Amino acid sequence: MIFEKIHTVPTADELVDKAFRRATRAMSGKTISGRETALKANESMTLTAANILTDNLSNAVRRFPSFDHVQPFYYELADILVGVDELRKALGRIDWASSKIHEVAREHVGKMRRAKDPIMIRKQAFGRMGSIMKSIDKELLLLNEARNKLRKLPAVHDEPTIVVAGYPNIGKSSFVTKATGATPEIAPYPFTTKGVSIGHFMIENERYQVMDTPGLLDRPMSERNAIELQAISALKHLKAVVLFIIDPTETCGYEIKDQENMLEEVRQQFPLPLLVVSNKSDLPQFRDLDFVDMKMSTMTGEGIQQVMDKLVTMIEDKKIEDSKAEENIMEEDQ
């Protein structure tokens, strides 16, 4: 996942301490026998401290992905969690500080070569570097907080996706397990009480992911806060179709009319192809509903393959439609 490789971002005090300790170590063992050796030793201290600071700052910036190239799904989630504009400003300030410290070091090394006392100039350089670092302390803290939050996002790949929706206890997680033939990966998700469940299956050389998001698509939209709604909105950016599962036996604890109401809300919320499937066809209480497209039993496996075939067909049809839409946009631009 794109945010996994972001390292811990040190505080300004930690970086300054590290830089000045390394600078002191660079001077240790050197014999000062006159102005020339004193100049070289203080130059070495100044450049060592500056290099430690600039390298660490530029690395902190470089390890964050460019949000101009992040897929829209992750962009929207990052914006909810940390605010992309604030993060960009912080990265810009830290990048500025890296360049400024490099500039300060060169400027003060030049002054040392003209000064009688290089120690005084070196101390001035250290003071300037320390001030610059202090000025970006809050930005470094923001970056580390962002790093800790972004690393918790689920590893949702940019590949064909089936998003599973419906009330709790209707068989969503059982469907993910049956469809993928393995226990799905449970990944942390910052907007749900449980981890998002993601499984994968292959057809020829194409990999598909099946995704259940407990806490997001299992209760009415009216019960959600603004952050949850935005998190749901992020799902629209996946190359996805939606599977909405209905329990016509009502053994899940929710009446059919409530399930149908939530289906309409999901239909309005998602401009994505949607397949409505009744589960628990093995139970005696099961009944056919006129607003349902197919039926299955995640207990016995009956109908699951047919549902999967239909979902894959819907994904392929969506690819063709999306491709045509892109071609039309390109033609209009020309």
Side-chain angles (χ1 to χ4, degrees):
M1 202 270 291
I2 56 171
F3 300 115
E4 279 182 341
K5 295 181 181 178
I6 304 174
H7 295 192
T8 300
V9 181
T11 65
D13 285 344
E14 288 169 341
L15 286 176
V16 167
D17 183 59
K18 177 182 178 180
F20 291 174
R21 276 191 290 107
R22 292 275 187 91
T24 302
R25 199 184 309 159
M27 190 172 180
S28 64
K30 287 186 171 58
T31 302
I32 308 298
S33 58
R35 185 185 180 283
E36 191 63 29
T37 52
L39 175 61
K40 286 184 178 179
N42 282 280
E43 275 187 16
S44 176
M45 287 185 75
T46 303
L47 294 174
T48 297
N51 288 338
I52 294 295
L53 293 174
T54 57
D55 286 351
N56 276 271
L57 294 178
S58 61
N59 284 339
V61 172
R62 180 175 51 80
R63 285 174 181 141
F64 272 81
S66 166
F67 285 94
D68 292 332
H69 301 102
V70 168
Q71 76 176 94
F73 172 74
Y74 279 118
Y75 183 100
E76 193 153 345
L77 292 188
D79 199 33
I80 303 166
L81 282 174
V82 298
V84 168
D85 286 345
E86 288 303 308
L87 196 51
R88 277 179 167 148
K89 288 176 187 175
L91 290 166
R93 283 273 298 159
I94 291 167
D95 193 43
W96 164 84
S98 177
S99 299
K100 191 67 179 175
I101 287 169
H102 181 68
E103 181 185 312
V104 164
R106 286 190 304 165
E107 176 189 331
H108 282 76
V109 164
K111 287 181 179 179
M112 279 181 201
R113 292 169 183 171
R114 300 187 298 272
K116 293 181 179 179
D117 184 5
I119 295 175
M120 182 68 70
I121 305 299
R122 188 255 301 162
K123 287 181 177 178
Q124 289 174 2
F126 278 16
R128 288 281 305 281
M129 291 180 200
S131 295
I132 293 167
M133 290 301 297
K134 188 175 181 180
S135 75
I136 60 163
D137 190 41
K138 69 176 184 180
E139 281 81 8
L140 290 168
L141 291 171
L142 187 149
L143 247 61
N144 198 52
E145 288 172 7
R147 175 255 183 196
N148 292 337
K149 290 177 180 177
L150 294 173
R151 281 170 57 87
K152 293 179 182 178
L153 289 173
V156 176
H157 300 279
D158 187 20
E159 59 193 13
T161 304
I162 298 164
V163 177
V164 185
Y167 270 102
N169 306 317
I170 59 169
K172 297 194 301 294
S173 59
S174 297
F175 175 81
V176 176
T177 301
K178 291 273 188 182
T180 58
T183 302
E185 172 190 356
I186 307 296
Y189 199 80
F191 316 105
T192 66
T193 54
K194 300 177 183 178
V196 61
S197 174
I198 301 176
H200 299 90
F201 65 93
M202 298 285 296
I203 296 180
E204 296 179 350
N205 294 322
E206 181 88 83
R207 193 172 90 144
Y208 298 79
Q209 62 189 349
V210 187
M211 181 176 169
D212 176 25
T213 54
L216 280 184
L217 295 178
D218 61 1
R219 68 186 197 278
M221 300 294 170
S222 58
E223 295 179 13
R224 305 177 185 287
N225 59 39
I227 289 177
E228 287 175 327
L229 289 172
Q230 199 170 346
I232 291 170
S233 171
L235 296 171
K236 297 175 187 175
H237 297 295
L238 297 174
K239 292 183 286 192
V241 298
V242 178
L243 167 63
F244 194 97
I245 301 178
I246 294 282
D247 177 6
T249 71
E250 299 183 343
T251 55
C252 62
Y254 299 94
E255 294 183 6
I256 290 172
K257 65 176 182 179
D258 293 327
Q259 297 181 62
E260 189 175 7
N261 288 339
M262 196 170 87
L263 166 62
E264 290 309 310
E265 289 184 343
V266 170
R267 203 190 296 275
Q268 291 171 20
Q269 188 78 14
F270 284 88
L272 296 172
L274 189 146
L275 182 68
V276 185
V277 176
S278 289
N279 190 25
K280 306 185 183 179
S281 62
D282 57 300
L283 295 183
Q285 306 97 309
F286 183 87
R287 52 185 162 135
D288 291 322
L289 301 172
D290 58 7
F291 62 89
V292 168
D293 301 310
M294 302 180 75
K295 64 181 179 180
M296 67 180 178
S297 168
T298 53
M299 179 63 70
T300 66
E302 178 194 359
I304 287 180
Q305 188 57 55
Q306 288 85 345
V307 169
M308 292 292 296
D309 292 344
K310 178 62 176 175
L311 289 165
V312 169
T313 299
M314 290 168 65
I315 288 172
E316 296 308 312
D317 289 345
K318 184 174 186 297
K319 281 185 190 176
I320 294 169
E321 287 179 15
D322 291 346
S323 178
K324 286 180 179 177
E326 287 178 11
E327 287 176 6
N328 290 338
I329 290 170
M330 290 175 65
E331 287 175 4
E332 288 174 5
D333 289 343
Q334 290 173 356

